[in-house]
Amino acid sequence: MNLVYIENKDLLTKIVTYLDYGKIEYTTNINSEFKTLVIAQNNRKSLELVNKAKKVIYIAYLDEMRIANSYIKKNKKNISYKNKMVDFFYRCNIVVTSLPYLRKMIGIKKALVIPQENLCIGLCKNKFFNLRKKVITIIDSDYKYLETCLELVNRFPNLQYELIGYGINLNKRECQLISDIPSNLKLHKYCNERLLQNYLNNSNLVIFFDNILENSNYLNICLNLRKNILLLSSELCNDYFIDNKNAYLFNTQNLIKKFNRIISNRVCNLGIEGYNLVKSNTFINLADKFCKLLK
């Protein structure tokens, strides 16, 4: 018998739906007899169940951001968490992660990469959009790069821009910038996936400032819609997003240069190559991968 013990209801629903599809026998009753344990958190109750299991499958999706920070940011708190997780990994038979770099970061052969399901939910067109205009969509959910965004808008004033995000802890300088934005820039607060697709229908390029783990939903939609993506580079992009192959990567120093090359048509359209990253991450394919772990 397989025991699925996942405290996050959304992830639990997703995993058991995969198992139902594959007709895998499982229970969510922690008092049942079981041989294989599927978990998505490292806490006291999980460890109690790990001690009873013959096989342990840990789905790291919910902890990936914290795991990544514990390897990248070398402070006392993160080092302590990293050591805790290293011990935990070696008590698991399989560790499921969403990015190749995370598997490399964890550094154990039993880490398996299974991307999360894509989120393309059908195009939702808005008749009020002027499809003749070139629109650049900027995703910066917490306005962490607000000044950089506005510098870009001011450097290329002949284009239309939409900034998706909402900063709640702005300093005096940032508040002043928001109160006097250029006429070619529209601000949109956080939106759901369907509304985002509406915005992206009219977009020629997406500039993505967000962390790719923190905002994977938005990123998956951009990829699904085959948009050219100019993505803020980080270690997490390694082995998944490759500059000039399936996305354009930038840092704050070379953003203007890369942006200019793209809008002046001096580079290839990589939208289809980005789409190829997620086109197979469908319900059926991912269900098959998860069910295979339990057979």
Side-chain angles (χ1 to χ4, degrees):
M1 176 62 72
N2 303 296
L3 171 62
V4 180
Y5 176 61
I6 299 176
E7 296 176 358
N8 180 280
K9 291 183 178 180
D10 290 337
L11 183 57
L12 173 63
T13 299
K14 179 181 291 187
I15 298 302
V16 299
T17 303
Y18 291 155
L19 302 186
D20 286 336
Y21 167 82
K23 298 181 180 179
I24 299 294
E25 188 177 5
Y26 69 89
T27 180
T28 58
N29 182 354
I30 61 175
N31 296 316
S32 301
E33 294 292 327
F34 64 93
K35 292 183 179 179
T36 300
L37 173 66
V38 180
I39 51 177
Q41 61 283 319
N42 176 9
N43 56 26
R44 186 174 63 180
K45 189 60 185 178
S46 296
L47 292 174
E48 290 176 4
L49 295 171
V50 166
N51 292 331
K52 299 177 182 179
K54 291 186 177 180
K55 180 180 180 181
V56 178
I57 300 172
Y58 169 58
I59 301 172
Y61 295 162
L62 301 177
D63 295 329
E64 283 181 333
M65 192 65 247
R66 193 174 178 189
I67 292 170
N69 283 338
S70 74
Y71 280 80
I72 296 171
K73 299 179 180 179
K74 305 297 184 181
N75 57 47
K76 186 175 180 180
K77 185 176 180 180
N78 282 330
I79 291 173
S80 176
Y81 179 78
K82 174 186 174 181
N83 293 336
K84 171 188 172 184
M85 291 307 298
V86 167
D87 290 339
F88 179 67
F89 292 148
Y90 281 97
R91 299 182 70 175
C92 301
N93 298 89
I94 299 173
V95 177
V96 177
T97 66
S98 67
L99 291 173
Y101 186 72
L102 287 169
R103 176 176 60 186
K104 187 179 295 185
M105 181 183 286
I106 292 170
I108 52 178
K109 294 181 180 179
K110 55 190 172 186
L112 177 68
V113 176
I114 301 181
Q116 297 197 49
E117 193 173 338
N118 68 52
L119 293 169
C120 198
I121 52 181
L123 299 185
C124 190
K125 293 185 178 179
N126 188 325
K127 63 182 179 181
F128 296 111
F129 280 179
N130 184 347
L131 297 176
R132 295 180 181 178
K133 290 185 178 180
K134 279 191 173 183
V135 175
I136 308 301
T137 301
I138 302 171
I139 298 178
D140 181 18
S141 294
D142 297 314
Y143 289 169
K144 292 181 180 179
Y145 298 90
L146 182 59
E147 292 202 43
T148 302
C149 294
L150 291 173
E151 178 187 357
L152 184 73
V153 171
N154 288 319
R155 287 282 294 270
F156 300 92
N158 295 327
L159 299 170
Q160 299 296 313
Y161 301 84
E162 294 180 338
L163 172 56
I164 297 173
Y166 185 58
I168 58 175
N169 296 311
L170 300 181
N171 58 38
K172 186 176 181 179
R173 164 68 174 163
E174 291 165 337
C175 288
Q176 185 177 5
L177 291 172
I178 288 296
S179 66
D180 187 28
I181 63 171
S183 59
N184 60 332
L185 172 64
K186 289 184 179 179
L187 301 182
H188 299 291
K189 293 185 179 181
Y190 294 136
C191 57
N192 61 31
E193 284 85 2
R194 187 170 293 279
L195 187 56
L196 176 64
Q197 288 186 88
N198 246 338
Y199 296 144
L200 292 178
N201 280 340
N202 194 30
S203 177
N204 300 80
L205 172 69
V206 180
I207 304 176
F208 205 94
F209 283 94
D210 285 4
N211 183 293
I212 63 174
L213 285 179
E214 291 177 326
N215 208 348
S216 58
N217 287 7
Y218 279 11
L219 183 56
N220 271 338
I221 290 173
C222 296
L223 293 168
N224 266 290
L225 295 179
R226 308 185 188 196
K227 296 298 177 180
N228 244 342
I229 299 176
L230 188 53
L231 180 66
L232 183 63
S233 183
S234 73
E235 289 180 294
L236 295 173
C237 296
N238 292 350
D239 303 319
Y240 193 66
F241 292 101
I242 301 173
D243 193 25
N244 298 307
K245 183 176 180 180
N246 50 35
Y248 290 107
L249 304 182
F250 73 94
N251 54 49
T252 53
Q253 286 74 42
N254 67 11
L255 171 61
I256 298 295
K257 180 179 179 181
K258 289 211 166 188
F259 179 81
N260 188 44
R261 288 179 63 84
I262 293 171
I263 64 169
S264 58
N265 296 317
R266 285 184 283 162
V267 295
C268 298
N269 186 331
L270 297 181
I272 187 62
E273 300 304 327
Y275 170 73
N276 287 335
L277 285 179
V278 296
K279 70 177 182 178
S280 63
N281 298 337
T282 62
F283 171 85
I284 292 176
N285 286 344
L286 295 183
D288 287 341
K289 289 180 181 180
F290 275 105
C291 291
K292 186 177 181 180
L293 299 180
L294 297 174
K295 288 181 178 178

